């Protein structure tokens, strides 16, 4: 797999996944326009993430059954329509319905990641997965910057309408680049395909462990990024959407620093990479807790947190893709369902915690979830050693 094609895969993944994170720096604007309270505005993110989890289970396994090229292009074209609906939503129910569809279809990201692992040679699989997955995390983080700048220039609706146009251009690029594949006919039905995802959880202990890590690290990730807009947009800071979105650049720096985690997994250091990254995840909440006092200290914490989350995520997928090569889409689906559950739980928990205990409460919640992840790693490491 050439580097240029891998970069295109990364860009497509980033663009697709960004669509479910545009709303995070816009929560205050959405709350004002649609009459929603700050304590409940997190439902916008939660609905999107829950539908993302549903799409992971219902759509991603199709990559092991259908023509992946057609599947990817179809999902992205439908995403263009969903983004347009959100950008023109007249009321909260239409907004939530559009966000639900966006979340459901954004799972094309994981179809692309699994496809990249298939196209890559075994010796470079960790590197390619790390590169493509970096596009995912960078898309998540730059979604805030993109959304903040466009909102200040032309209002929040422009974010979704411009994204729809960019997605359409990406479809054209992928149409030219994605290889035309001939799939061997299989007797497996769709219902059997879905049941096999559950069977993989029963059969593969490593999938259960890595899925648990995904739930916890992305709950911590979402606890930070969903609620961060609230203290930054409130007095005394009262930052603009552009300034708030710019914090995504700090996260990108951390994500890029973790891009080599896949190579470490290729060399057999996946477990230790996970443990070190989870330790850093806990440490990151100390500088993050200074958000209302020092923005420079906050930036350091954001970089550490995103480095840690990305390192664990890349390591998780690199390890999983060595387990059952014929079921990579289903392994990805099972793993990412827990990612989405963690993200949804973190979103609703963080906004509720902020309303109850302020930013210090949010940071304590994030540190507690991060500690649970490290304890899980220590427990599973002990079981493996025994």
């Amino acid at each position: 797999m050439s580097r240029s094609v891998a970069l295109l895969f990364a860009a497509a993944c980033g663009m697709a996944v960004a669509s479910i994170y545009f709303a995070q720096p816009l929560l205050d604007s959405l709350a004002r326009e649609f009459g929603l309270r700050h304590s409940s505005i997190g439902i916008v993110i939660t609905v999107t993430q829950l539908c993302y989890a549903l799409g992971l289970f219902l759509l991603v396994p199709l990559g092991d059954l259908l023509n992946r090229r057609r599947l990817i292009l179809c999902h992205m074209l439908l995403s263009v329509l969903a983004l347009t609906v959100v950008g023109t939503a007249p009321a909260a129910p239409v907004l939530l319905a559009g966000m639900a569809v966006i979340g459901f279809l954004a799972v094309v990201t994981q179809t692309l990641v699994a496809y990249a692992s298939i196209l890559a040679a075994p010796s470079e699989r960790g590197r390619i997965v790390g590169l493509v997955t970096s596009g995912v995390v960078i898309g998540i983080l730059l979604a805030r910057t993109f959304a903040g700048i466009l909102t200040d220039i032309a209002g929040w609706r422009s974010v979704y309408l411009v994204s729809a146009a960019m997605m359409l251009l990406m479809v054209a690029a992928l149409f030219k680049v994605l290889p035309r594949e001939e799939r061997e006919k299989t007797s497996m039905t769709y219902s059997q395909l879905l049941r096999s995802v559950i069977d993989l959880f029963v059969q593969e202990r490593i999938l259960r462990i890595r899925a648990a890590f995904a739930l916890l690290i992305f709950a911590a990730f979402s606890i930070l990024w969903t609620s961060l807009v609230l203290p930054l947009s409130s007095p005394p800071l009262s930052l603009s959407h552009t300034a708030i979105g710019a914090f995504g650049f700090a996260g990108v720096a951390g994500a890029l620093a973790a891009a080599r985690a896949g190579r470490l997994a290729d060399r057999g250091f996946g477990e230790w990479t996970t443990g070190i990254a989870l330790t850093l995840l806990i440490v990151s909440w100390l500088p993050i807790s200074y958000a209302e006092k020092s923005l420079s200290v906050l930036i350091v914490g954001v970089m550490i947190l995103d480095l840690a989350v990305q390192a664990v995520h890349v390591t998780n997928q690199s390890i999983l893709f060595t387990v059952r090569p014929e079921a990579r889409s289903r392994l990805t689906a099972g793993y990412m369902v827990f990612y989405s559950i963690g993200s949804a739980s973190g979103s609703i928990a963080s906004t509720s915690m902020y309303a109850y205990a302020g930013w210090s409460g949010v940071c304590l919640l994030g540190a507690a979830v991060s500690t649970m992840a490290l304890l899980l790693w220590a427990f599973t490491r002990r079981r493996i050693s025994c």
Side-chain angles (χ1 to χ4, degrees), residues 69-82:
R69 183 176 188 273
R70 295 173 185 169
L71 190 66
I72 290 166
L73 295 175
C74 180
H75 286 176
M76 295 189 76
L77 280 173
L78 292 174
S79 294
V80 172
L81 295 177

Side-chain angles (χ1 to χ4, degrees), residues 1-12 116 127-128 131-132 177:
M1 188 177 189
S2 69
R3 182 174 178 82
S4 60
V5 173
L7 288 173
L8 184 63
F9 269 58
R127 180 180 65 84
I128 293 296
L131 178 58
V132 175
V177 170

Side-chain angles (χ1 to χ4, degrees), residues 237-312:
L237 296 174
S238 301
L239 300 181
S240 66
H241 287 102
T242 300
I244 294 172
F247 279 86
F249 285 113
V252 167
L256 288 174
R260 293 184 177 273
R263 294 185 181 183
L264 291 173
D266 286 340
R267 297 172 183 172
F269 298 112
E271 287 294 340
W272 287 109
T273 301
T274 301
I276 293 170
L278 291 175
T279 302
L280 289 175
L281 185 61
I282 298 173
V283 171
S284 70
W285 289 102
L286 178 59
I288 288 171
S289 67
Y290 283 81
E292 297 172 313
K293 301 175 183 178
S294 173
L295 294 181
S296 58
V297 174
L298 169 64
I299 289 172
V300 172
V302 167
M303 292 177 64
I304 296 173
L305 182 139
D306 286 326
L307 183 154
V309 169
Q310 171 70 347
V312 177

